[in-house]
Amino acid sequence: QNHQTTMRRPSKPLLIAGIPIAGLALASYNGGTSVSAWSPAPHTTTATSRRSQKPSSSSSVVLHSAIEDELDLSSLHLTPQLEMMVTAFSSIPDEKTRHKQLLYMASKLPAVTDDVRISENKVPGCLSTVHVDCTLEPKEGDDDQETMVVNYFGDSDGLLTKGLLALLIRGLNGATPEEIQNVDPQFIQAAKISQTLTPGRNNGFLNMLAVMKKKALDAAEGGAADVDAADGGAEEQSAIVTSFEEIDGKPMYN
């Protein structure tokens, strides 16, 4: 008698931008009709559009934002890590799963000590209390130690806000101050994260990015950015939103 042995392929954890999905059945649309499991390998990006299934390169990925405007990721000047996460988040077909993924990222954000939770590090205009700071260090692998990169750390008492902070920290860490200044905040629309958030949370996200840009600028100039940042700092301050409106039916998530 011939015995047939069925070999089961070992299950692999679902990943999004190299981050395992905590028990979520992530799926993406395939051809606009069927749904298939979405489990990219680490350091692999996948862009899916309901309107088009044409392959796209990492340097020029066209996505549809919440307002149906086409955004070319290459025009947003994203860091490689941030572009990878934007592409991955945009592939998630529903808001609930994106929300859960942000909460999972919040749970993985490294803890900080109380000396980070000071007024100088507090992000204004957020519904939750957010603190963020950074250090400037030589780029790893740079023997001449001429290239300096920024590494952020922070915390929030709101879970969703903490997830947004974790996304920014992961996306901006290891980038130069110049690269960070060039990041266009419209990437939150390209990632479709703005659809998950109320106006207050969207404003808080923009405030976090504005503060992180200012922190990188100050660190690059040795904390003495008062001269050149007189205009730049005012510009960043004007980007900070301190008022917002609620939307009926959209809870003000923490």
Side-chain angles (χ1 to χ4, degrees), residues 11-136:
S11 59
K12 296 181 180 179
L14 294 175
L15 302 170
I16 176 170
I19 307 173
I21 304 294
L24 300 180
L26 190 60
S28 62
Y29 288 97
N30 181 16
T33 54
S34 61
V35 177
S36 60
W38 187 78
S39 181
H43 309 296
T44 301
T45 58
T46 303
T48 305
S49 171
R50 297 187 185 186
R51 293 186 177 182
S52 173
Q53 295 298 318
K54 294 180 181 181
S56 56
S57 65
S58 60
S59 61
S60 180
V61 182
V62 177
L63 301 171
H64 290 281
S65 70
I67 57 176
E68 298 301 322
D69 288 334
E70 290 188 351
L71 294 176
D72 186 348
L73 291 193
S74 64
S75 69
L76 300 181
H77 309 293
L78 305 180
T79 67
Q81 275 287 330
L82 197 53
E83 181 175 334
M84 180 168 59
M85 287 190 291
V86 167
T87 306
F89 266 95
S90 70
S91 299
I92 302 177
D94 63 276
E95 294 183 20
K96 185 177 180 180
T97 306
R98 282 193 292 272
H99 178 83
K100 288 184 177 181
Q101 183 60 23
L102 287 172
L103 296 182
Y104 178 73
M105 292 180 69
S107 70
K108 297 302 179 182
L109 187 65
V112 297
T113 56
D114 289 337
D115 58 353
V116 177
R117 301 182 182 93
I118 58 177
S119 58
E120 290 83 354
N121 297 333
K122 187 176 180 179
V123 178
C126 285
L127 294 174
S128 303
T129 302
V130 183
H131 294 93
V132 64
D133 201 3
C134 69
T135 58
L136 194 66

Side-chain angles (χ1 to χ4, degrees), residues 82 85 102-103 105-110 112 116-117 121-123 126 128-134 152-173 187-188 193 197 201 204-212 215 254:
L82 197 53
M85 287 190 291
L102 287 172
L103 296 182
M105 292 180 69
S107 70
K108 297 302 179 182
L109 187 65
V112 297
V116 177
R117 301 182 182 93
N121 297 333
K122 187 176 180 179
V123 178
C126 285
S128 303
T129 302
V130 183
H131 294 93
V132 64
D133 201 3
C134 69
Y152 292 98
F153 45 90
D155 193 21
S156 174
D157 61 358
L159 288 178
L160 184 58
T161 306
K162 189 173 182 178
L164 295 171
L165 179 62
L167 185 149
L168 284 173
I169 289 177
R170 181 180 174 91
L172 299 179
N173 272 4
F187 75 83
I188 190 176
I193 295 174
L197 308 176
R201 295 301 173 196
F205 182 84
L206 297 176
N207 290 348
M208 282 188 280
L209 179 59
V211 169
M212 293 171 78
K215 288 277 186 181
N254 284 331

Side-chain angles (χ1 to χ4, degrees), residues 213-226:
K213 285 187 175 185
K214 183 64 165 58
K215 288 277 186 181
L217 182 64
D218 288 348
E221 299 186 4
D226 295 337

